[in-house]
Amino acid sequence: MYSLSYRRASSVEEARRLFKEASDAAYLAGGHTLLPAMKQRLAAHDVLVDLGAIADMKGIGVSGDGLTIGGGVTHAEVAGSQEVKGAIPSLAALAGSIGDAQVRHRGTLGGSIANNDPAADYPAAALALAATIRTDGREIAADDFFTALYETALEEGEIVTGVSFRIPETAGYAKFRNPASRYPMAGVFVARHKDGTVRVAVTGAGNEGVFRWSEAEQALSGNFAAEALAGLSVDPDMMMGDIHGSPEYRANLVAVMARRALGSLGSAEAII
Ligand SMILES: Cc1cc2nc3c(=O)[nH]c(=O)nc-3n(C[C@H](O)[C@H](O)[C@H](O)COP(=O)(O)OP(=O)(O)OC[C@H]3O[C@@H](n4cnc5c(N)ncnc54)[C@H](O)[C@@H]3O)c2cc1C
């Protein structure tokens, strides 16, 4: 047993102050990653600063070409949001495919993005939708945000207050779930943007975490259809290998999921 303090912040400023006052604090959002890690003694903190009561981190709104979702919004709220379904149906589909009902009702967008689990779903959407990560001090392009496994560009104590996704012309998401954990073993988000650019992002498979598949982006720029990907594959040397699947297996899954994602364009139901 070890003791710790629980503090609930009512504003982003208060959360920052409470974090700074402690010697080794952590922010608590849905707790679906942080609390199991603490229970297993993989992490230990003297203060948990709960972000769950911060109203400024809750909203969902469309403005111009952007859909902004607060860092404290749960996956279930994203999945059920009419605004999200209207602007980017495949993002609602992605959120609705995360874990199970308990995970979706506690886990948050900010927690998922900040944690950058190599098998998390949202990082793929953030890259493919050219998102901007909003923090309490700055804006960070998704391309610069996910730096390594479980690593991000966030500085000590920085808070993800929201994420602005660029609304595409069309997009789709498909993933192959690990049947035990329900995390994707390979998840591919494809998007064609209104300026004609194509972005393809892969999660769950890469040995350095989420990545953009540039060869697929080039192929789909000419023809945004599954047949454009014929014969294209990712390098197995870039893929994770573990008891659940070899690098070659994951490389094959990436190609299959990319084709399936193209078959799900505009759908609010993820292909799983
Ligand atoms: C059984 C199970 C199955 C799951 N399946 C999936 C899945 O299929 N796909 C998937 O993508 N995810 C999955 N998850 C993860 C889940 O979706 C959560 O998103 C994830 O655990 C982190 O979000 P959280 O809100 O719970 O964050 P927490 O666990 O509270 O925090 C995670 C980390 O982020 C930090 N943090 C939290 N919020 C912020 C913020 N706003 N700003 C800065 N730092 C912050 C915390 O300090 C901590 O270090 C699963 C989890 C479980 C337990």
Side-chain angles (χ1 to χ4, degrees), residues 26-34 51 57 71 75 97-99 103 106-108 110-112 114-115 119-122 154 158-160 175 181-184:
Y27 294 122
L28 175 68
H32 267 278
T33 293
L34 180 61
L51 304 175
M57 290 174 58
H75 311 327
S97 78
I98 292 175
V103 171
R106 292 296 309 169
T108 64
S112 177
N115 195 50
D121 292 276
Y122 273 122
L154 288 175
E158 197 169 2
I159 298 173
V160 176
K175 73 179 186 182
S181 73
R182 304 172 81 90
Y183 278 90

Side-chain angles (χ1 to χ4, degrees), residues 48 74 87 96 98 129 149 169 193 205 217 241 247 249 267:
L48 293 186
T74 65
I98 292 175
L129 296 172
L149 302 182
E169 185 182 279
H193 290 275
E217 292 179 350
Y249 179 66
S267 170

Side-chain angles (χ1 to χ4, degrees), residues 3-80:
S3 63
L4 57 87
S5 302
Y6 168 87
R7 308 294 301 272
R8 172 174 272 209
S10 55
S11 68
V12 172
E13 295 72 27
E14 186 185 10
R16 275 307 283 248
R17 181 176 56 73
L18 292 170
F19 188 98
K20 207 170 163 193
E21 285 170 4
S23 63
D24 185 9
Y27 294 122
L28 175 68
H32 267 278
T33 293
L34 180 61
L35 297 182
M38 291 180 71
K39 277 184 174 173
Q40 292 169 38
R41 300 293 191 263
L42 298 171
H45 300 280
D46 61 346
V47 177
L48 293 186
V49 179
D50 191 344
L51 304 175
I54 301 177
D56 286 349
M57 290 174 58
K58 296 287 192 198
I60 297 177
V62 173
S63 170
D65 266 358
L67 168 72
T68 299
I69 302 177
V73 175
T74 65
H75 311 327
E77 288 166 339
V78 174

